[in-house]
Amino acid sequence: MRRNFRCFLMVNAALMLTACTPFDLAYTGIASQRHSGHPAPHPGDVSDPGDTSHAGSAPRSGDVSDPGDTSHAGSAPRSGPDSGSGDVPARPQFPTLHPGDEGALVEKVQSRLDRLGFKTGPPGSEYGPALRMAVWAFQKANGLPAVDRVDPPTWQALSHPERVRPLVPSGGSVRVEIDLRRQLLTAWKDGRPALITHISTGTGKPYCKNGHCGVAVTPTGDFRAWWRTAGWTSGPLGDQFYTVYFNGGIGFHGSERVPRHPASHGCIRVPLHNARPLFDMIQTGQPVYVRRPA
């Protein structure tokens, strides 16, 4: 009788853990997730001198890029008042993912973000540069700091994401909204957010490059796409990939350098994997709204 009662408790505990897992991760085989250790930084890392998130390394206590994170994600559950009774944690623990990691959990994150509109590029099982920027966009859209990891707050947000709210509710059914404060671009189609991406806009500082001088400002206002250039084009201020101009010489385009801070001369830099889909979606004459919400 005592043995049967013990088995009953163990089965119920397992069912409770399964019921608490975010979206459909209960059957992904967490134990098989492989962490790659300390992969070399991606080429884009050097373009963000303020990056202190230590991409690809295990999170450290007091990590400056996420001062509120004290959950020690990825480590074994500790005993104590917060860990529940026995060896069963009070809530399921998911390993923190870093750029360079690969496996079933990475694929699940990609699939989840794609369904939510945060496009991650070609499918795969590695936490690469495209997924890295999609995670940044998702974190910013959910009020989280953009960090180089899928940590406990990000897992929670993936389970219960915030609804994407329009900057211009009365805008057209197909339009682009650019949020300068959060450095996010949202392309709407049929009244729904179809593509949400991390961006880098004007620095707001004076510049002189190749004989061209000015102030690197991305102006706010209501505009319309007026000129589109396919593929790579070169100009005095750099190379651009699939550009859609909407305000004179200012437009949104793919770039090899899209850091986590405003870094452009005024254009809106978009990750390369999102440039062509955005170009195909936005045609000449469709509205582009640029805002700096309070």
Side-chain angles (χ1 to χ4, degrees):
M1 180 68 179
R2 182 177 302 172
R3 180 177 180 181
N4 290 339
F5 183 69
R6 189 184 303 119
C7 290
F8 174 78
L9 289 179
M10 293 175 65
V11 169
N12 273 276
L15 289 174
M16 289 177 64
L17 283 176
T18 301
C20 294
T21 53
F23 38 103
D24 56 350
L25 291 179
Y27 305 102
T28 59
I30 292 174
S32 65
Q33 173 70 19
R34 184 179 70 83
H35 179 61
S36 59
H38 304 276
H42 294 291
D45 291 350
V46 296
S47 66
D48 194 354
D51 182 4
T52 56
S53 58
H54 306 285
S57 61
R60 301 180 301 171
S61 176
D63 191 333
V64 295
S65 64
D66 190 4
D69 183 5
T70 57
S71 57
H72 306 283
S75 60
R78 298 176 298 169
S79 61
D82 296 329
S83 61
S85 57
D87 295 328
V88 179
R91 61 187 180 202
Q93 300 293 315
F94 294 97
T96 294
L97 302 178
H98 302 81
D101 285 351
E102 58 184 8
L105 276 184
V106 173
E107 293 177 357
K108 286 292 182 181
V109 171
Q110 287 180 317
S111 177
R112 178 64 167 168
L113 289 175
D114 281 333
R115 289 198 300 271
L116 293 173
F118 300 86
K119 303 306 180 183
T120 62
S125 61
E126 183 180 0
Y127 193 156
L131 178 57
R132 182 188 187 211
M133 294 190 189
V135 169
W136 290 351
F138 176 78
Q139 289 167 333
K140 290 188 291 183
N142 283 268
L144 300 172
V147 295
D148 274 338
R149 57 183 179 271
V150 179
D151 53 10
T154 307
W155 283 120
Q156 179 64 26
L158 285 167
S159 178
H160 303 287
E162 292 188 11
R163 184 170 68 89
V164 178
R165 299 182 182 277
L167 295 177
V168 184
S170 59
S173 62
V174 178
R175 67 187 188 276
V176 168
E177 295 182 345
I178 295 166
D179 185 333
L180 298 180
R181 183 179 65 83
R182 295 192 295 177
Q183 295 287 280
L184 284 174
L185 180 152
T186 303
W188 294 76
K189 184 176 182 180
D190 298 327
R192 303 181 64 181
L195 190 157
I196 309 159
T197 180
H198 160 74
I199 57 175
S200 179
T201 60
T203 64
K205 301 176 181 178
Y207 70 89
C208 279
K209 184 175 181 179
N210 297 330
H212 291 261
C213 298
V215 179
V217 173
T218 302
T220 60
D222 299 353
F223 310 97
R224 288 189 179 271
W226 72 277
W227 185 29
R228 302 160 74 249
T229 57
W232 282 102
T233 55
S234 297
L237 299 179
D239 297 333
Q240 303 174 181
F241 189 60
Y242 282 94
T243 306
V244 177
Y245 294 93
F246 60 86
N247 180 19
I250 293 178
F252 46 85
H253 62 79
S255 174
E256 294 179 318
R257 181 174 178 265
V258 191
R260 282 176 286 189
H261 58 270
S264 82
H265 297 96
C267 281
I268 293 86
R269 298 181 185 178
V270 175
L272 289 178
H273 71 281
N274 281 333
R276 177 64 186 271
L278 189 57
F279 179 89
D280 291 341
M281 190 183 308
I282 304 303
Q283 304 299 314
T284 300
Q286 290 176 332
V288 177
Y289 301 102
V290 184
R291 298 289 190 269
R292 188 182 296 276

